Amino acid sequence: MEKENETSNTRDFVTTSEAAEALGVSYYTVYEYIKEKRLVAEMVGGIYMIPKKAVQEFKAKPTGRVRIRPPLWRKYRAGAKVRGMDIRVRVRSGQQKRLIEKLKAILEAQRYLFPGTMQRYVFEEEAEPKYIIFSLIWKDTEMPDESVIQQDLKPLQAELADALDWDAAQYTTKQAIIHT
């Protein structure tokens, strides 16, 4: 009975490697967090053990500078408009993890940049994580024709076809009235 209790207590802690995997960083970064006292750890038998709760509640500091004031609202002079397209796509059953891996590879390789876009986002719906939304933003003076956009989408659709149901995708276009 006592041995079982010991085991359950040790699983309240994780190793630096386990913490690194959970946080999506290298174990060197975890050591830095410990050294900076941003992550609590105990030395046990020559290795750092980190409370599982500390890892779950850990919040990394944002990279870059933190905005003190939000950007102001604006409207382009000379009549230029900001236009966008949202593409809502259902994730195929059991393919969420595979999709995330593929999106990370796309990010790493900097593929599918969609010429002329000012911004590109891939959102996961919080209420229904089985849907993702690709959001593409252009200044209307740089936004290509619909046929060019559809042509540019084809390689992305092909790469993600096993993870996303493109046949049921919903396309929405929009125009900003004011923006940042």
Side-chain angles (χ1 to χ4, degrees):
M1 194 75 137
E2 191 173 314
K3 190 170 190 133
E4 186 178 310
N5 247 353
E6 274 180 38
T7 306
S8 67
N9 286 344
T10 59
R11 289 319 306 158
D12 290 340
F13 289 83
V14 295
T15 65
T16 53
S17 294
E18 291 168 328
E21 186 175 337
L23 296 172
V25 298
S26 72
Y27 66 91
Y28 294 112
T29 302
V30 171
Y31 283 116
E32 286 298 314
Y33 292 157
I34 293 167
K35 186 172 126 184
E36 294 167 357
K37 300 198 184 314
R38 291 180 53 209
L39 195 56
V40 177
E42 294 178 26
M43 186 67 79
V44 178
I47 62 169
Y48 281 114
M49 295 300 290
I50 304 161
K52 193 180 278 187
K53 185 172 180 145
V55 173
Q56 292 166 344
E57 294 175 355
F58 182 80
K59 296 213 187 293
K61 288 182 184 173
T63 58
R65 65 179 167 85
V66 177
R67 288 188 177 186
I68 296 168
R69 287 175 284 182
L72 300 175
W73 287 109
R74 59 185 243 206
K75 183 177 180 181
Y76 282 122
R77 291 185 213 135
K81 303 282 184 198
V82 174
R83 305 221 7 123
M85 175 183 282
D86 285 348
I87 308 164
R88 185 175 188 251
V89 191
R90 185 182 185 102
V91 179
R92 296 186 189 279
S93 180
Q95 294 300 309
Q96 188 74 21
K97 186 176 178 184
R98 182 172 175 77
L99 173 65
I100 298 301
E101 289 169 3
K102 286 185 166 208
L103 290 173
K104 285 180 181 177
I106 288 168
L107 170 68
E108 179 89 17
Q110 292 296 307
R111 293 192 308 271
Y112 313 116
L113 301 180
F114 300 99
T117 52
M118 297 167 38
Q119 298 173 349
R120 297 171 299 277
Y121 298 95
V122 180
F123 293 104
E124 177 182 67
E125 287 190 5
E126 289 183 359
E128 281 194 83
K130 62 185 175 195
Y131 286 97
I132 64 162
I133 298 170
F134 291 87
S135 188
L136 307 172
I137 312 292
W138 292 267
K139 190 187 303 183
D140 69 344
T141 56
E142 298 177 30
M143 185 174 185
D145 292 334
E146 177 84 21
S147 61
V148 173
I149 295 169
Q150 291 301 324
Q151 193 64 34
D152 288 345
L153 279 169
K154 284 184 181 181
L156 173 69
Q157 291 169 329
E159 182 167 343
L160 301 177
D162 60 337
L164 296 174
D165 182 7
W166 289 102
D167 293 334
Q170 299 168 335
Y171 295 78
T172 307
T173 56
K174 54 194 175 185
Q175 178 175 300
I177 299 169
I178 59 175
H179 58 87
T180 58

